[in-house]
């Protein structure tokens, strides 16, 4: 008869890992804000320096933040992308100017959904400004400017376009929507024909996305 193992014996294998050395102290002074780039909060800077941890946030006007080590929440009322400084406003309109690295974003600014008819009645210059606001998430990502859409023109969606042209997927572009289009004739998966157009989709996850479409799906205006 085989004896039963004693209760203190493990029923499986135990993997014993060596003790890891303590992490080196994080040198926040190693981070230097790049003028003109997004202003990062403390968590985003730590993630950039270490490659791990919470991804953090780029900061925009309207975000709620708290200074590192403090509990009070402040609203961001100005962001200086050239030097990484932000202005925060608290109760009684008290203001402070601090570096983005010295705060943590606790809630990002909320913006209402963009209506499908957003570009109706606008001039091309106005439409480029509106799409720039959306693409930059209202200033969070300053690399998007009106120059980013300087060569984009108006187009009309011929028939509703689903995500990845999958009929079961959500509709990215409703039929008849006026959109901004870049006539870039880019290759698709290395193929020489057909080529594509690019339209800016304002539906779905913020802040929208530039989407490759087939030429027959868009009727160019003018």
């Amino acid at each position: 008869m085989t004896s039963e193992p004693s209760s203190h014996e493990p029923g499986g294998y135990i993997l014993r890992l060596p003790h890891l050395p303590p992490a080196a102290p994080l040198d926040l002074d190693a981070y230097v804000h790049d003028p003109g780039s997004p202003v990062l909060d403390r968590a985003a800077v730590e993630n950039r320096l270490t490659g791990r941890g919470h991804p953090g946030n780029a900061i925009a006007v309207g975000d709620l933040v708290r200074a590192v080590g403090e509990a009070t929440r402040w609203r961001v009322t100005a962001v200086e992308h050239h030097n990484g400084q932000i202005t925060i406003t608290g109760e009684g309109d008290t203001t402070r100017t601090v570096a983005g690295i010295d705060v943590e974003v606790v809630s990002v600014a909320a913006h209402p959904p963009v209506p499908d008819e957003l570009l109706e009645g606008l001039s091309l210059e106005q439409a480029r400004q509106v799409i720039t606001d959306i693409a930059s998430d209202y200033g969070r990502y300053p690399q998007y400017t009106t120059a980013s859409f300087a060569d984009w023109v108006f187009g009309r969606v011929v028939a509703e376009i689903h995500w990845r042209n999958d009929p079961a997927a959500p509709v990215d572009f409703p039929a008849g929507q006026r959109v901004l289009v870049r006539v870039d004739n880019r290759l698709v998966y290395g193929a020489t024909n057909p080529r594509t157009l690019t339209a800016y989709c304002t539906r779905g996850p913020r802040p929208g996305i530039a989407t490759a479409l087939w030429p027959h799906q868009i009727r160019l205006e003018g």
Side-chain angles (χ1 to χ4, degrees):
M1 178 180 294
T2 304
S3 62
E4 293 293 329
S6 61
S7 60
H8 65 273
E9 291 180 348
Y13 294 103
I14 296 178
L15 178 63
R16 299 190 183 278
L17 297 174
H19 291 292
L20 296 176
L26 183 61
D27 181 13
L28 292 173
D29 291 336
Y31 175 76
V32 178
H33 175 74
D34 183 17
S37 66
V39 176
L40 305 182
D41 73 350
R42 173 66 63 88
V45 169
E46 291 179 349
N47 178 273
R48 176 166 295 189
L49 292 176
T50 64
R52 61 179 183 272
H54 192 282
N57 290 276
I59 303 172
V61 170
D63 289 352
L64 289 180
V65 302
R66 62 180 170 223
V68 175
E70 298 181 10
T72 303
R73 295 187 174 193
W74 301 70
R75 185 172 299 279
V76 178
T77 49
V79 179
E80 300 293 341
H81 292 104
H82 68 281
N83 62 9
Q85 299 284 310
I86 64 173
T87 300
I88 54 179
T89 303
E91 293 183 2
D93 292 332
T94 303
T95 62
R96 295 168 58 183
T97 298
V98 297
I101 192 175
D102 292 330
V103 303
E104 299 169 337
V105 174
V106 296
S107 178
V108 297
H111 298 281
V114 176
D116 292 333
E117 63 276 11
L118 178 71
L119 302 186
E120 296 294 343
L122 298 185
S123 68
L124 196 51
E125 181 179 0
Q126 291 170 326
R128 288 168 177 162
Q129 180 60 63
V130 167
I131 295 300
T132 295
D133 291 341
I134 296 170
S136 68
D137 197 10
Y138 302 93
R140 192 176 306 278
Y141 306 107
Q143 61 268 37
Y144 292 98
T145 68
T146 51
S148 305
F149 299 95
D151 56 349
W152 293 53
V153 298
F154 283 128
R156 288 276 177 187
V157 178
V158 175
E160 68 178 19
I161 302 170
H162 294 257
W163 181 71
R164 293 189 175 179
N165 289 319
D166 178 358
V171 174
D172 280 347
F173 300 92
Q177 184 183 25
R178 195 186 201 197
V179 294
L180 272 191
V181 180
R182 180 179 62 202
V183 189
D184 50 13
N185 291 323
R186 295 190 175 189
L187 303 182
V188 182
Y189 302 119
T192 57
N193 191 45
R195 295 171 181 255
T196 64
L197 305 176
T198 298
Y200 201 87
C201 175
T202 55
R203 282 189 169 191
R206 56 186 293 179
I209 188 171
T211 304
L213 302 176
W214 302 119
H216 70 268
Q217 293 178 304
I218 296 289
R219 183 180 69 254
L220 298 180
E221 291 189 3

